[in-house]
Amino acid sequence: MCGIVGYVGRQKAAAIMLEGLKRLEYRGYDSAGLAVLQNNGLTLVKCIGRVAALAKLASGKKLTGTCGISHTRWATHGGVTDANAHPHVSSDGQIALVHNGVIENYVHMKRFLLEKGYTFKSETDTEVLANLIAYHYAKQPEPAVNGEGSRFLEAVRKTLLHVEGTYGIAVLSPAHPGELVAARKGSPLILGVGDHEHLIASDVSALVSRTQNVVYLKDGELVHVTPAGFTLSTLDLADVSPVIDQVTWSVDEAELGEHPHFMRKEIFEQPLALENAMRGRFSADGSSANFGGLNLTPADFRTIDRFVFTSCGTGWHACLVAEHLIERFARIPVEVDYASEFRYRNAPLDRDALFFVISQSGETIDTLAALREAKRKGYKCMAICNVVGSTIAREADGGIYQHAGPEIGVASTKAFTSQLLIAAMFALYVARMRDMSFADGVEYVAGLKAVPDLARRVLEQAPHIQQIALRYAKYNDFLFLGRLSLFPIALEGALKLKEISYIHAEGYPAAEMKHGPIALISDQCPSVFLVPKGELFNKVLSSMQEIKARKGLIIAIVPECLDLPEGLADEVITIPDCHEAALPVLATIPVQLLSYYIAVARGCDVDKPRNLAKSVTVE
Ligand code: M6R
């Protein structure tokens, strides 16, 4: 939700910020803007539309300044207009600011500022912050006790003491050329430490082309930045010793390469992401998994009588698969909750529950709030995260990194299947501490190790799935149906299709279909069936017959060892035979490809679907 890039150094800030914004565009893409300090003043360029529109507008200006801030917006307060685009400038022209988050008490502060004579041009909560900083700046003693830089910093600090809500901000002032102040509470912000230059950004993808050295700001921290250095402090004036981390991935990993869309690239990267999820995580005897990052001993695990998994969106579907696999193989009860519900419903938890959150980005505000709520109640909290150094990863007591590489497409693909595989490994890990035999463990491990190659075989069917997509792209309603571990994949298939193609789609357990959704069935509403092996195969065939009897169209995703009755499905996509724990991973790939090709056929912008943003950092 909103991307921020700030730069201070020796190079022209605008070009560097535009490159960074381009990489951050998946965070929000309804408008964009930048401000640079030059010619003893502030030059502001902003417009509705994508970063490309901003770049075009900026190319007509002479932007030579070496200190600037920039933003790509996902609207919260105020519609998508030029005036509401960031940066916002205080009415006295002293402060320019970009913001990611929501200022909850802005109405009260705005009233106060109007009384003091400040004026407003936008409908945003952010402009209030710019004016309030200007107000505190004007009130600071002059000259400042510790130099001009601290006067600027102090004005930001004093303002933030009054703010309720969430923010990641970057601020500049024409009175302080060569200085930036940035701060965070609830919205991610990272400092990039370069060679005689510093950058501020919402995530590392905007920085990696210039530096691999980063400082992850914590909530309540402010940083004052110049080309030569930076100082980190807290809102209550304590100095903070910075920890400089190294980003482990390169800028190439966030490039499209030969692919037309990041979503396609990331779907095809799944075999590698799956290999990376497993690398070094199986026990030497080949019968179990290892997770050093959980910081728990086998003895700790013996006392756990329940797992609680929470997440949002696609991650929540991964939680449902984790529930199925852990209960099936380890026989330990699992509770799954939407993070956004968990944080408010004051759920009673078992005394010896272990809490897990799943988040690709590690920044989703609802998931972070659920984690904090569980920690507040004294529970140990683990995180399954893709983004190293993210807020959730840092605040968890332990966890499992996915190592799936950067995921840029708004629709999560490789991060999801990597979460499924980690869930399968975790189920094995706890099952082997309970009743699973050595022989079953060895078979399970072999089954998981085969997954990357089996995923490659599913991907070979992309041209076949594309042809199906072309035939079905005209329909406006779809049902996705599955059972047991494939029910969450039905939910995921429906979510993928609606978020990138705007087609109405619903996921259901196949047997539930006859309790209501069957009313939707006609020759205009295709059903995608995820067909299981085993005892439920015949039950699912019956559900398919019920659809056929009502002239419904059927796309069946079927393990290749199964034979469907002739003519029952209109389209068949096969997946290789695999271990039961690997089935959700392999069954996901066809629904991803189907959604992708349907969205492309309908001319949708698959990487930047309307109204969405990759990382949801506001409530
Ligand atoms: O980064 P997270 O995994 O915490 O994100 C959670 C959801 O916002 C995310 O999965 C969302 O549902 C995706 N757009 C799904 O494709």
Side-chain angles (χ1 to χ4, degrees):
M1 302 264 127
C2 301
I4 289 175
V5 187
Y7 176 84
V8 55
R10 294 171 173 175
Q11 309 297 318
K12 289 180 186 163
I16 291 166
M17 294 192 301
L18 282 166
E19 193 212 318
L21 282 188
K22 200 89 208 89
R23 294 186 194 286
L24 283 192
E25 202 169 25
Y26 65 91
R27 300 183 67 91
Y29 31 83
D30 57 45
S31 47
L34 60 84
V36 290
L37 293 178
Q38 56 187 35
N39 309 325
N40 300 319
L42 186 79
T43 303
L44 181 68
V45 190
K46 56 184 188 174
C47 60
I48 59 168
R50 300 281 167 93
V51 174
L54 176 68
K56 198 164 166 215
L57 199 60
S59 67
K61 322 257 173 200
K62 255 192 160 344
L63 297 175
T64 53
T66 59
C67 176
I69 54 175
S70 66
H71 188 265
T72 177
R73 181 171 186 243
W74 187 90
T76 55
H77 289 62
V80 180
T81 63
D82 287 349
N84 288 339
H86 300 213
H88 290 282
V89 182
S90 59
S91 58
D92 64 4
Q94 286 303 310
I95 296 293
L97 176 139
V98 289
H99 168 221
N100 172 24
V102 173
I103 307 301
E104 288 167 4
N105 57 340
Y106 81 103
V107 175
H108 162 77
M109 295 196 299
K110 187 168 182 175
R111 204 174 300 132
F112 169 81
L113 288 161
L114 285 167
E115 279 165 16
K116 297 285 172 199
Y118 289 86
T119 58
F120 293 83
K121 291 184 184 136
S122 77
E123 305 150 301
T124 64
D125 50 341
T126 302
E127 196 180 5
V128 172
L129 272 189
N131 273 328
L132 197 58
I133 296 170
Y135 166 79
H136 283 292
Y137 185 80
K139 272 185 33 183
Q140 293 294 311
E142 198 162 1
V145 183
N146 297 321
E148 284 295 310
S150 66
R151 180 182 177 200
F152 178 27
L153 178 66
E154 191 55 10
V156 177
R157 190 188 73 81
K158 284 209 163 127
T159 299
L160 295 180
L161 289 174
H162 297 283
V163 168
E164 287 165 23
T166 56
Y167 54 81
I169 55 169
V171 195
L172 54 71
S173 167
H176 296 268
E179 292 177 35
L180 287 181
V181 175
R184 72 158 275 180
K185 182 184 157 212
S187 301
L189 212 57
I190 296 159
L191 170 72
V193 182
D195 184 13
H196 291 94
E197 63 181 21
H198 290 93
L199 296 101
I200 297 288
S202 302
D203 77 50
V204 290
S205 57
L207 306 171
V208 281
S209 67
R210 299 205 70 82
T211 180
Q212 309 276 116
N213 301 322
V214 297
V215 178
Y216 296 101
L217 266 65
K218 297 197 184 84
D219 275 355
E221 287 182 352
L222 295 98
V223 65
H224 177 243
V225 192
T226 66
F230 65 93
T231 53
L232 205 56
S233 56
T234 63
L235 281 186
D236 48 14
L237 290 175
D239 286 340
V240 178
S241 304
V243 177
I244 300 185
D245 282 301
Q246 295 278 313
V247 179
T248 50
W249 53 272
S250 72
V251 74
D252 300 348
E253 289 183 66
E255 300 282 359
L256 266 178
E258 72 209 22
H259 296 272
H261 301 104
F262 280 107
M263 184 177 176
R264 186 181 190 282
K265 176 178 184 252
E266 289 154 8
I267 289 174
F268 280 84
E269 281 173 347
Q270 288 179 109
L272 181 61
L274 294 165
E275 276 162 11
N276 289 340
M278 290 189 287
R279 203 178 303 283
R281 285 189 168 146
F282 289 117
S283 61
D285 69 358
S287 76
S288 187
N290 289 319
F291 294 105
L294 292 177
N295 307 324
L296 292 171
T297 64
D300 294 331
F301 271 100
R302 288 226 62 86
T303 64
I304 291 163
D305 54 13
R306 182 177 290 271
F307 294 106
V308 179
F309 276 76
T310 73
S311 184
C312 299
T314 284
W316 185 74
H317 301 153
C319 292
L320 293 178
V321 172
E323 174 186 32
H324 176 83
L325 295 176
I326 294 168
E327 291 190 343
R328 159 90 176 81
F329 290 103
R331 312 291 304 149
I332 301 171
V334 179
E335 193 175 320
V336 175
D337 215 342
Y338 282 113
S340 52
E341 291 296 303
F342 177 84
R343 64 183 289 192
Y344 288 114
R345 76 183 180 86
N346 196 18
L349 297 177
D350 294 86
R351 196 163 57 91
D352 292 318
L354 182 63
F355 197 84
F356 267 86
V357 297
I358 298 184
S359 176
Q360 184 285 131
S361 63
E363 300 294 351
T364 300
I365 196 82
D366 287 323
T367 310
L368 178 60
L371 173 99
R372 287 176 177 165
E373 174 65 7
K375 283 188 76 168
R376 194 189 58 73
K377 289 180 166 167
Y379 288 91
K380 274 223 156 70
C381 296
M382 303 293 138
I384 298 175
C385 264
N386 192 31
V387 178
V388 175
S390 56
T391 310
I392 288 174
R394 282 184 288 117
E395 292 198 13
D397 296 303
I400 305 170
Y401 274 127
Q402 299 182 227
H403 304 305
E407 189 179 72
I408 311 287
V410 165
S412 186
T413 52
K414 65 175 179 175
F416 177 61
T417 47
S418 139
Q419 288 159 359
L420 299 185
L421 193 59
I422 287 169
M425 286 191 285
F426 183 71
L428 166 71
Y429 179 61
V430 280
R432 286 284 291 128
M433 288 182 203
R434 306 268 167 144
D435 297 330
M436 186 187 274
S437 69
F438 175 79
D440 287 347
V442 169
E443 190 191 335
Y444 194 117
V445 169
L448 296 190
K449 283 186 173 169
V451 172
D453 279 339
L454 298 180
R456 284 185 187 97
R457 282 184 48 205
V458 181
L459 289 168
E460 283 166 11
Q461 291 197 64
H464 170 56
I465 297 172
Q466 183 174 19
Q467 290 309 311
I468 297 173
L470 289 173
R471 288 195 285 278
Y472 285 75
K474 62 183 180 210
Y475 295 104
N476 291 320
D477 298 283
F478 276 74
L479 277 186
F480 284 75
L481 301 162
R483 300 199 68 164
L484 301 181
S485 69
L486 294 182
F487 161 53
I489 309 310
L491 293 174
E492 176 64 6
L495 176 63
K496 283 296 84 105
L497 190 63
K498 50 190 160 198
E499 70 180 333
I500 59 169
S501 67
Y502 321 135
I503 291 172
H504 163 240
E506 295 187 34
Y508 265 92
E512 275 297 301
M513 183 257 314
K514 57 187 175 295
H515 298 288
I518 197 165
L520 295 172
I521 296 301
S522 74
D523 61 0
Q524 293 305 305
C525 177
S527 299
V528 179
F529 269 91
L530 295 140
V531 182
K533 281 197 299 190
E535 55 184 354
L536 288 178
F537 174 59
N538 285 327
K539 308 275 179 204
V540 170
L541 287 191
S542 300
S543 303
M544 292 168 81
Q545 298 285 9
E546 287 155 14
I547 299 252
K548 268 280 120 195
R550 288 157 182 85
K551 299 193 169 37
L553 297 161
I554 293 179
I555 301 170
I557 298 169
V558 194
E560 61 193 7
C561 60
L562 298 178
D563 280 327
L564 290 182
E566 190 68 30
L568 183 55
D570 299 278
E571 313 286 349
V572 176
I573 302 165
T574 55
I575 52 175
D577 295 331
C578 63
H579 190 280
E580 186 189 334
L583 182 62
V585 175
L586 298 180
T588 297
I589 299 171
V591 298
Q592 294 170 340
L593 287 167
L594 192 65
S595 304
Y596 170 74
Y597 287 122
I598 287 178
V600 172
R602 289 169 76 109
C604 299
D605 186 346
V606 291
D607 282 340
K608 299 188 185 75
R610 72 182 179 210
N611 305 336
L612 294 179
K614 180 72 180 161
S615 171
V616 183
T617 55
V618 295
E619 236 190 299

